Amino acid sequence: MANNETILVTGGCGFIGCNFVRMMINKHPEVEIVNFDALTYAGNLDNLTDVMDSSQYHFVRGDIQDAALVSKVIADYEISGIINFAAESHVDRSITGPKVFIDTNVSGTLNLLQQANEHGIKRYLQVSTDEVYGSLGATGAFTEESPLCPNSPYSASKTAADHFVRAYHHTFGLDTIVTRCSNNYGPYQFPEKLIPLMFNNARIDKPLPVYGDGANVRDWIYVNDHCEAIWAAFTKGTPGEVYNFGGASERNNLEVVKAILSYFNKPDSLIKFVKDRLGHDQRYAIDATKALTTLDWKPSVTFEEGLKMTLDWYSTNQKWIDNVTSGEYKSYYKKMYESEG
Ligand code: NAD
Ligand code: TYD
């Protein structure tokens, strides 16, 4: 990346996006960032209060489906690269309301690709997910060559977006990169996802709702390690390629929930097994050999180190969690977890 380039980061007020923007402001003063975010329930301006006054940082509120606004922002700020984090990201919400997942994840991505192509953007990076590969049995790991077999409406929409990225590279020669990462955890994650939800419940002795038997396995990665991987792929990746990232930390859900309870010195009796998620993927695991060998990147923390950092952050930022759980979250939680009794 040359000096004084300006990158459009979409979804920079969400969980991974805000950690990425913070990393860029603190570690890469040569790059300007325009954060373009619709501020949905998952987007929060407070996630970036510590960097919002930086001259390197600009914020525009907007929807990635808005062709005229995206075009204007690219022109006004002389954008040279795009990193697309913006998405509807929660599997459970995609089961109860899939339409918005098509709107943002598919139509929004298509609009960004179209604008990138029209404006001669030098590089477009799509932040995708390992969930596009579907579910694994007890052994094996996803490589970049694994077939795409999405099982949830969320992963189906992310897969459709990945196909459009591929098509824009193939058809128009757009310089694209797709990154597929495993489950992230860390500061600023909205408490609809497993780790912050369980933290928030354990803290106030509310039951911890584990889906099914709790044996589903995820490959956990600390969010900063994912952000470093995205920047490595953006700056060192080969056009048209896909890169998998993972934390090499497979844990089943029960192990994760018990680790959170033990952080608080609280009993496992707080665990409540609830009705399983429809179509629940059994296991995700990542083979990150390609990123490890070609991007000069590797995860920096173990799951135990990252989890401790994360739970300490939530403990000292109780106000953040109180703010984001004060509004819509209450009715979401009631609908998802209290309706089954
Ligand atoms: P998030 O839900 O926390 O944040 C999404 C952000 O996108 C929010 O700030 C929201 O306001 C914004 N947004 C939503 N719709 C928009 C629209 N139409 N226009 C503009 N902005 C919009 O999500 P996250 O967990 O930070 O995930 C970021 C990206 O990483 C997503 O593309 C997701 O698929 C991918 N990903 C997430 C994980 C994970 O574990 N969280 C793992 C792999 C990949
Ligand atoms: P989640 O954080 O929603 O991520 P994803 O579904 O994208 O992997 O869920 C992680 C795992 O935790 C998944 O197997 C579902 C499970 N889970 C629960 O058991 N209870 C919960 O309340 C939530 C939100 C998730």
Side-chain angles (χ1 to χ4, degrees):
M1 205 61 211
N3 278 351
N4 304 320
E5 300 236 18
T6 305
I7 295 179
L8 185 68
V9 170
T10 68
C13 292
F15 163 48
I16 305 173
C18 81
N19 283 290
F20 181 82
V21 170
R22 178 171 292 102
M23 175 191 84
M24 292 304 295
I25 303 296
N26 291 332
K27 289 179 69 174
H28 298 281
E30 74 284 8
V31 181
E32 285 203 30
I33 299 290
V34 177
N35 174 12
F36 187 93
D37 197 299
L39 299 179
T40 68
Y41 79 92
N44 186 352
L45 281 175
D46 290 346
N47 291 0
L48 285 166
T49 40
D50 54 327
V51 295
M52 65 194 279
D53 292 333
S54 163
S55 57
Q56 230 182 304
Y57 174 77
H58 313 272
F59 174 71
V60 177
R61 184 173 189 173
D63 189 319
I64 58 168
Q65 296 168 84
D66 185 337
L69 183 58
V70 171
S71 177
K72 181 173 165 23
V73 168
I74 291 174
D76 287 355
Y77 287 96
E78 299 179 23
I79 298 292
S80 60
I82 298 178
I83 302 184
N84 181 28
F85 291 90
E88 287 294 330
S89 68
H90 193 38
V91 172
D92 292 323
R93 289 185 194 251
S94 81
I95 294 169
T96 53
K99 174 69 168 63
V100 69
F101 286 72
I102 297 288
D103 297 342
T104 288
N105 300 2
V106 187
S107 301
T109 296
L110 176 58
N111 180 46
L112 292 175
L113 289 166
Q114 184 62 23
Q115 298 308 323
N117 199 35
E118 284 176 14
H119 286 270
I121 290 295
K122 286 198 264 182
R123 173 153 282 187
Y124 175 96
L125 187 147
Q126 177 73 2
V127 181
S128 186
T129 166
D130 63 348
E131 301 193 25
V132 299
Y133 297 120
S135 184
L136 289 165
T139 58
F142 300 129
T143 72
E144 290 80 0
E145 276 70 48
S146 298
L148 302 184
C149 296
N151 288 321
S152 70
Y154 162 68
S155 55
S157 69
K158 294 294 288 186
T159 307
D162 285 11
H163 282 311
F164 275 105
V165 177
R166 180 189 150 85
Y168 266 67
H169 176 70
H170 184 85
T171 307
F172 302 107
L174 186 66
D175 181 322
T176 60
I177 300 277
V178 172
T179 61
R180 297 188 180 135
C181 190
S182 61
N183 285 62
N184 286 221
Y185 66 99
Y188 300 99
Q189 187 169 32
F190 194 76
E192 64 188 353
K193 305 288 194 325
L194 181 76
I195 289 177
L197 185 143
M198 297 300 174
F199 170 92
N200 198 36
N201 285 18
R203 182 180 62 88
I204 52 171
D205 295 322
K206 199 166 162 176
L208 276 60
V210 171
Y211 299 160
D213 60 4
N216 304 70
V217 172
R218 297 294 182 260
D219 175 346
W220 293 96
I221 184 170
Y222 190 63
V223 64
N224 289 0
D225 285 332
H226 183 194
C227 293
E228 294 283 0
I230 287 170
W231 189 239
F234 190 78
T235 50
K236 298 178 197 147
T238 303
E241 292 290 310
V242 174
Y243 295 91
N244 284 355
F245 309 133
S249 295
E250 280 188 56
R251 299 287 184 280
N252 73 37
N253 294 338
L254 217 42
E255 290 172 309
V256 174
V257 170
K258 285 183 178 175
I260 295 170
L261 282 168
S262 98
Y263 176 84
F264 284 106
N265 279 320
K266 294 207 173 168
D268 290 354
S269 55
L270 273 173
I271 292 171
K272 182 184 177 196
F273 291 97
V274 299
K275 202 169 88 197
D276 208 354
R277 171 186 282 172
L278 291 175
H280 196 170
D281 283 341
Q282 186 58 37
R283 176 171 165 264
Y284 304 143
I286 283 281
D287 180 340
T289 306
K290 185 175 175 181
L292 293 167
T293 55
T294 65
L295 296 179
D296 191 23
W297 165 87
K298 64 175 181 346
S300 68
V301 293
T302 65
F303 182 66
E304 284 63 36
E305 289 164 345
L307 187 66
K308 165 94 170 61
M309 279 149 60
T310 302
L311 300 178
D312 284 349
W313 185 87
Y314 284 107
S315 298
T316 50
N317 290 275
Q318 190 55 53
K319 199 164 172 308
W320 180 89
I321 217 165
D322 288 345
N323 284 345
V324 299
T325 54
S326 64
E328 188 262 2
Y329 185 77
K330 282 200 168 68
S331 50
Y332 169 80
Y333 195 91
K334 205 171 163 61
K335 185 170 131 207
M336 285 299 302
Y337 297 97
E338 288 168 11
S339 54
E340 67 173 61

